[in-house]
């Protein structure tokens, strides 16, 4: 059973106790990401995520890493457009030591200049690495046009010039504004009773986290429409299409998931079967849905040889037309629902993925995630609902597209011209 506590300063704790396991997964979730940045500080959320591990008055970066490993724990962090998460997984007997350590670096990192100077080089290398990954570039270019005019259009890593300029003062100022208790959720899943989790937060977090309030504005809803390209001499071309759809925790989320599975998620999906199995046009094609507080996208992603670009686009257009005109079959809907149910139940058996689901849901909605309610929503999806979803959201006038590859295959045109 999922339990939660909200403390007087706005900090939220969400837990689920699984007594049959010996591990605990813990995450500190902050509502901070590139979606709340400006052009001047784009990349500061990701920079902060990196440098928070770079030392305190008590521990050096090496000692932090060594201590987690001494405790047999794994620790990591990630940044997205609207959230940042710091997390560890440990055995239950070392939970308090790991929680103490993560709380310590979360609130007491000192950001020494020499460590920041070293880490900014690492982040620039990460930025350069993305520049060699056409699929990653394609995601960024699609966001650039899909979310044009909002901060969601910015990359998570930010430009190198910003990263090379950020200093400890920038990080401390950013954390004062964004790392506030009312903008933070602590998520714990595994062999940890809720009462013990409350005591750990009261002992190691509440004395340090203060009473500040976060003043932030979520990116406004976008309507889509636009084309972006990145020309480089890659062997294959990558392209992506997206429609603006629904925000996080929308009542239609399960309907969208069913449509996505049938169109391009499973190996039996229409796009996979037509573009890869029947026509041999692509190696990889899939659909993916992303959702934020006020925005969401339904995306189609493809990588293929440049000579197959036009044929692949034509095939996608045909499949979208058939889908909107004739809808899904009852058999497809039933198969998708069973797969989504299985995936949900599989995820619950993984403490780390469950911690992620609970933390993100509490951060975005302020509510507890319920696997039972999620399964009910999946089970209730009908063929008629999927038809209504496609008719409502697959509007080509709002279509966005991105292209990454050789200039010769795209020329001066736009992928939107094909639709």
């Amino acid at each position: 059973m999922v339990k939660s506590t909200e403390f007087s300063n706005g900090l939220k704790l969400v837990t689920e106790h699984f007594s049959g396991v010996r591990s605990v997964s813990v995450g500190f979730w902050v509502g901070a990401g590139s979606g709340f940045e400006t052009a001047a500080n784009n990349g500061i959320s990701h920079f902060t995520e990196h440098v928070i591990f770079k030392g305190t008055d008590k521990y050096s970066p090496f000692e932090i890493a060594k201590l987690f490993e001494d405790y047999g724990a794994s620790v990591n962090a990630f940044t997205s457009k609207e959230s940042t998460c710091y997390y560890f997984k440990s055995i239950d007997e070392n939970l308090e030591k790991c929680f103490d350590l993560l709380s310590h670096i979360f609130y007491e990192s000192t950001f020494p200049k020499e460590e920041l100077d070293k880490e900014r080089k690492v982040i620039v290398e990460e930025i350069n690495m993305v520049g060699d990954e056409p699929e990653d570039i394609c995601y960024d270019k699609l966001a650039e046009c899909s979310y044009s005019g909002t901060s969601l259009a910015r990359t998570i890593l930010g430009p190198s010039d910003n990263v090379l300029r950020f200093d400890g003062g920038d990080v401390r100022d950013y954390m004062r504004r964004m790392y506030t208790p009312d903008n933070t959720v602590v998520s714990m899943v595994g062999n940890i009773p809720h009462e013990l989790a409350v005591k750990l937060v009261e002992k190691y977090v509440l004395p340090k986290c203060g009473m500040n309030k976060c003043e932030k504005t979520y990116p406004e809803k976008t309507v889509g429409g636009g084309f972006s390209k990145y020309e480089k001499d890659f062997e294959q071309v990558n392209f992506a299409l997206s429609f603006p759809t629904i925000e996080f925790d929308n009542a239609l989320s399960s309907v969208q998931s069913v449509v996505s599975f049938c169109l391009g998620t499973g190996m039996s999906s229409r796009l996979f079967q037509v573009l890869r199995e029947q026509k041999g046009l692509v190696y990889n094609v899939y659909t993916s849905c992303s959702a934020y507080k006020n925005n969401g996208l339904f995306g189609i992603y493809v990588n293929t040889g440049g000579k197959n670009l036009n044929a692949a686009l034509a095939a996608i257009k045909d499949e979208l037309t058939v889908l909107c005109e004739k809808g899904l079959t009852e058999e497809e809907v039933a198969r998708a629902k069973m797969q989504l149910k299985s995936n949900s139940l599989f995820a619950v058996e993984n403490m780390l993925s469950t911690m992620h689901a609970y933390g993100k849901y509490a951060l975005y909605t302020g509510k507890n995630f319920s696997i039972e309610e999620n399964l009910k929503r999946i089970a209730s999806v009908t063929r008629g609902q999927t038809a209504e979803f496609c008719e409502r959201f697959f509007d080509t006038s709002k279509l966005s597209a991105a292209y990454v590859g050789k200039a010769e295959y795209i020329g001066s045109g736009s992928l939107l011209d094909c639709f």
Side-chain angles (χ1 to χ4, degrees):
M1 178 180 179
V2 184
K3 296 184 178 181
S4 62
T5 295
E6 183 168 338
F7 299 92
S8 59
N9 59 4
L11 179 76
K12 298 179 183 65
L13 168 68
V14 58
T15 73
E16 186 165 16
H17 183 198
F18 291 87
S19 59
V21 301
R22 288 297 310 275
S23 69
V24 184
S25 293
V26 176
F28 282 48
W29 289 79
V30 186
S34 58
F36 304 107
E37 297 170 354
T38 65
N41 75 348
N42 183 206
I44 189 68
S45 301
H46 178 255
F47 187 82
T48 300
E49 174 226 309
H50 271 247
V51 300
I52 209 169
F53 292 95
K54 294 305 168 184
T56 69
D57 286 336
K58 189 176 181 181
Y59 299 118
S60 69
F62 172 74
E63 289 170 327
I64 290 171
K66 180 178 177 297
L67 278 171
F68 275 114
E69 294 183 356
D70 285 345
Y71 302 146
S74 59
V75 62
N76 212 330
F78 63 84
T79 305
S80 68
K81 290 187 181 290
E82 290 185 346
S83 64
T84 304
C85 178
Y86 304 85
Y87 63 95
F88 69 82
K89 183 175 183 178
S90 73
I91 56 176
D92 48 13
E93 65 189 72
N94 288 332
L95 166 64
E96 183 167 359
K97 295 175 182 177
C98 292
F99 190 82
D100 178 16
L101 181 56
L102 185 60
S103 302
H104 175 69
I105 64 175
F106 191 81
Y107 291 109
E108 299 183 54
S109 289
T110 53
F111 313 114
K113 182 180 184 303
E114 63 274 16
E115 293 296 336
L116 266 61
D117 287 342
K118 287 187 287 187
E119 194 62 23
R120 72 177 79 255
K121 296 177 183 178
V122 174
I123 298 172
V124 169
E125 288 303 317
E126 185 178 359
I127 293 171
N128 293 337
M129 182 178 69
V130 169
D132 289 329
E133 295 290 340
E135 191 169 9
D136 290 343
I137 299 170
C138 198
Y139 293 145
D140 286 341
K141 301 306 285 186
L142 185 66
E144 180 183 291
C145 53
S146 300
Y147 297 124
S148 178
T150 77
S151 50
L152 291 174
R154 298 190 178 96
T155 67
I156 293 170
L157 302 185
S160 296
D161 287 348
N162 283 3
V163 172
L164 293 171
R165 176 173 46 81
F166 293 145
D167 60 23
D170 295 319
V171 175
R172 282 185 282 270
D173 178 66
Y174 185 72
M175 292 186 73
R176 277 194 297 269
R177 292 188 295 107
M178 301 298 289
Y179 282 53
T180 58
D182 63 324
N183 198 34
T184 303
V185 170
V186 178
S187 177
M188 301 192 201
V189 174
N191 193 15
I192 170 74
H194 185 74
E195 296 73 21
L196 176 56
V198 171
K199 291 180 180 179
L200 291 175
V201 171
E202 289 175 340
K203 182 177 180 179
Y204 295 107
V205 176
L206 292 187
K208 304 174 184 177
C209 64
M211 301 291 292
N212 290 348
K213 300 295 182 183
C214 182
E215 296 182 6
K216 67 178 183 181
T217 301
Y218 280 93
E220 62 187 17
K221 190 170 184 63
T222 59
V223 296
F227 174 67
S228 183
K229 64 180 178 179
Y230 180 88
E231 296 173 349
K232 191 172 180 178
D233 193 23
F234 292 120
E235 285 300 315
Q236 287 194 306
V237 302
N238 282 253
F239 67 88
L241 312 169
S242 72
F243 298 93
T245 54
I246 55 177
E247 70 281 2
F248 187 82
D249 198 39
N250 187 287
L252 293 175
S253 294
S254 294
V255 178
Q256 177 172 250
S257 294
V258 169
V259 173
S260 178
F261 183 87
C262 295
L263 182 62
T265 303
M267 292 182 66
S268 66
S269 66
R270 296 185 178 191
L271 291 178
F272 188 90
Q273 284 296 312
V274 171
L275 273 75
R276 174 168 165 155
E277 300 296 286
Q278 297 176 19
K279 298 188 176 183
L281 294 172
V282 304
Y283 173 73
N284 197 21
V285 55
Y286 61 92
T287 55
S288 178
C289 306
S290 58
Y292 302 103
K293 184 73 172 181
N294 297 320
N295 286 278
L297 290 182
F298 186 106
I300 302 172
Y301 302 86
V302 177
N303 67 294
T304 184
K307 294 180 180 179
N308 291 330
L309 174 63
N310 291 332
L313 286 167
I316 292 172
K317 179 182 179 181
D318 289 345
E319 290 306 310
L320 285 171
T321 300
V322 171
L323 177 63
C324 291
E325 290 180 352
K326 298 183 179 180
L328 300 171
T329 66
E330 292 287 0
E331 180 184 6
E332 286 176 307
V333 172
R335 181 165 57 249
K337 289 162 64 173
M338 181 54 69
Q339 282 291 319
L340 293 171
K341 177 181 180 179
S342 297
N343 291 342
S344 297
L345 292 174
F346 292 157
V348 172
E349 296 178 356
N350 183 308
M351 299 300 98
L352 189 58
S353 65
T354 302
M355 181 280 290
H356 285 312
Y358 291 176
K360 182 177 180 179
Y361 193 81
L363 183 68
Y364 276 51
T365 70
K367 301 181 294 184
N368 292 347
F369 181 82
S370 170
I371 182 63
E372 292 79 12
E373 289 301 316
N374 186 52
L375 293 175
K376 286 179 182 178
R377 286 192 291 267
I378 292 171
S380 67
V381 175
T382 66
R383 180 172 178 264
Q385 287 176 315
T386 63
E388 291 172 3
F389 180 92
C390 295
E391 181 180 2
R392 175 181 173 185
F393 291 107
F394 291 164
D395 179 354
T396 55
S397 69
K398 299 178 180 179
L399 185 66
S400 297
Y403 171 87
V404 176
K406 295 179 180 179
E408 63 188 90
Y409 295 122
I410 189 68
S412 59
S414 164
L415 297 185
L416 296 175
D417 298 337
C418 301
F419 291 84

